[in-house]
């Protein structure tokens, strides 16, 4: 499974990338607002840090507007992935952009039918929102499983990018189902390494080592 980090915070991206954990980055208008920086400046800096795809989202809702904004965003760097909403105009833009060789992430997916349409439109990535479905009392993991089965049935190359991840269990379940990518908030990505038995075991090892009076080197 690939790990993307879902943030526009450059310091977080630099730290996680240095650990070798990042395969890409996803951003959206809300994350750019939270970062408090110009979208062009912060996206360009992010693209210079990571080698993988960096999703930059259009804000226009009509086809012509999306294409105009996509032309601007795509010039930021070669690893830009244009993010479009799952609407008919978004699918139209997806088809036009991918036909021209541009990576496209179709976002705000909440059903397997929507994901099927995105794959037909040639999407590079489809972003089903797990956490937001959970918020409506629908098991978000079911959509990942449904999309995986549909894509496998017809050998679609669109990658399933599990989004709106809230917990470490979301990551594990998405991996078990076979999502290609998980885009994860920095805090959740860091939490994947934690386990109380790891901490307890390390504490015991260090205590025993101290009793030997030895040092390495």
């Amino acid at each position: 499974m690939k790990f993307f980090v879902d943030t526009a915070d450059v310091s977080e991206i630099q730290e996680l990338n240095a650990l070798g954990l990042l395969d890409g980055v996803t951003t959206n208008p809300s994350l750019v607002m939270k970062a408090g920086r110009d979208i062009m400046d912060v996206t360009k800096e992010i693209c210079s840090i990571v080698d993988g795809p960096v999703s930059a989202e259009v804000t226009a809702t009509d086809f012509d507007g999306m294409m105009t904004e996509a032309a601007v965003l795509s010039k930021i760097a070669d690893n830009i992935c244009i993010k479009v909403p799952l609407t008919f105009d978004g699918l139209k833009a997806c088809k036009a952009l991918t036909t021209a060789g541009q990576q496209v992430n179709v976002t705000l997916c909440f059903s397997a039918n929507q994901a099927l349409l995105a794959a037909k439109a040639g999407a590079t990535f489809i972003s089903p929102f797990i956490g937001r479905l959970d918020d409506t009392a629908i098991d978000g993991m079911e959509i990942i499983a449904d999309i995986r089965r549909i894509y496998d049935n017809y050998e679609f190359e669109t990658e399933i990018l599990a989004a709106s991840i809230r917990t470490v269990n979301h990551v594990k379940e998405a991996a078990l189902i076979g999502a290609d990518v998980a885009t994860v908030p920095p805090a959740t990505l860091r939490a994947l390494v934690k386990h109380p038995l790891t901490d307890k075991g390390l504490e015991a090892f260090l205590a025993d080592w101290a009793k030997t009076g030895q040092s390495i080197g």
Side-chain angles (χ1 to χ4, degrees), residues 12 19 33 39 44 61 66 88 93 110 114-115 118 121 127-128 133 147-148 154-155 168 172 175 179 190 215-216:
E12 293 274 22
L19 294 173
M33 180 194 71
I39 183 173
K44 184 175 182 179
T61 57
M66 289 182 194
F88 272 115
F110 294 97
Q114 289 180 318
S127 290
L133 282 169
I147 297 170
R148 180 74 280 157
Y154 300 101
E155 298 182 347
V168 293
K172 179 190 75 173
R190 287 196 182 89
S215 62
I216 299 174

Side-chain angles (χ1 to χ4, degrees), residues 31-73:
L31 292 173
V32 172
M33 180 194 71
K34 187 176 180 181
R37 294 183 56 188
D38 176 80
I39 183 173
M40 300 298 288
D41 291 341
V42 71
T43 305
K44 184 175 182 179
E45 187 171 358
I46 292 169
C47 287
S48 71
I49 296 169
V50 299
D51 295 327
V54 175
S55 288
E57 188 166 344
V58 298
T59 57
T61 57
D62 64 293
F63 171 74
D64 289 337
M66 289 182 194
M67 294 301 291
T68 298
E69 292 182 359
V72 174
L73 293 172

Side-chain angles (χ1 to χ4, degrees), residues 1 115 124-128 143-149 151-152 157-163 177-182:
M1 172 182 266
T124 312
F125 301 102
I126 182 66
S127 290
I143 188 178
I144 302 295
D146 288 346
I147 297 170
R148 180 74 280 157
R149 183 171 182 180
Y151 282 10
D152 288 348
E157 295 183 1
T158 300
E159 295 190 33
I160 302 171
L161 196 164
I177 292 168
D180 300 287
V181 188

Side-chain angles (χ1 to χ4, degrees), residues 66-85:
M66 289 182 194
M67 294 301 291
T68 298
E69 292 182 359
V72 174
L73 293 172
S74 65
K75 292 177 182 177
I76 294 175
D78 291 339
N79 55 331
I80 281 289
C81 179
I82 302 298
K83 203 173 184 182
V84 300

Side-chain angles (χ1 to χ4, degrees), residues 72-217:
V72 174
L73 293 172
S74 65
K75 292 177 182 177
I76 294 175
D78 291 339
N79 55 331
I80 281 289
C81 179
I82 302 298
K83 203 173 184 182
V84 300
L86 216 161
T87 61
F88 272 115
D89 282 286
L91 293 174
K92 185 178 178 182
C94 173
K95 181 62 176 177
L97 290 167
T98 55
T99 298
Q102 176 67 56
Q103 293 188 90
V104 176
N105 178 355
V106 180
T107 190
L108 293 171
C109 174
F110 294 97
S111 77
N113 284 334
Q114 289 180 318
L116 176 57
L117 293 178
K120 295 283 287 183
T124 312
F125 301 102
I126 182 66
S127 290
F129 278 40
I130 298 167
R132 294 196 194 185
L133 282 169
D134 286 352
D135 291 343
T136 63
I138 296 173
D139 184 355
M141 284 301 157
E142 289 185 4
I143 188 178
I144 302 295
D146 288 346
I147 297 170
R148 180 74 280 157
R149 183 171 182 180
I150 290 170
Y151 282 10
D152 288 348
N153 282 348
Y154 300 101
E155 298 182 347
F156 286 121
E157 295 183 1
T158 300
E159 295 190 33
I160 302 171
L161 196 164
S164 187
I165 285 179
R166 307 268 178 81
T167 68
V168 293
N169 280 338
H170 276 162
V171 178
K172 179 190 75 173
E173 291 169 18
L176 287 170
I177 292 168
D180 300 287
V181 188
T183 186
V184 188
T188 305
L189 188 54
R190 287 196 182 89
L192 294 175
V193 77
K194 296 180 181 178
H195 195 285
L197 291 179
T198 301
D199 297 336
K200 186 175 181 180
L202 181 58
E203 182 181 348
F205 287 156
L206 293 177
D208 288 341
W209 180 248
K211 293 174 184 176
T212 71
Q214 299 180 56
S215 62
I216 299 174

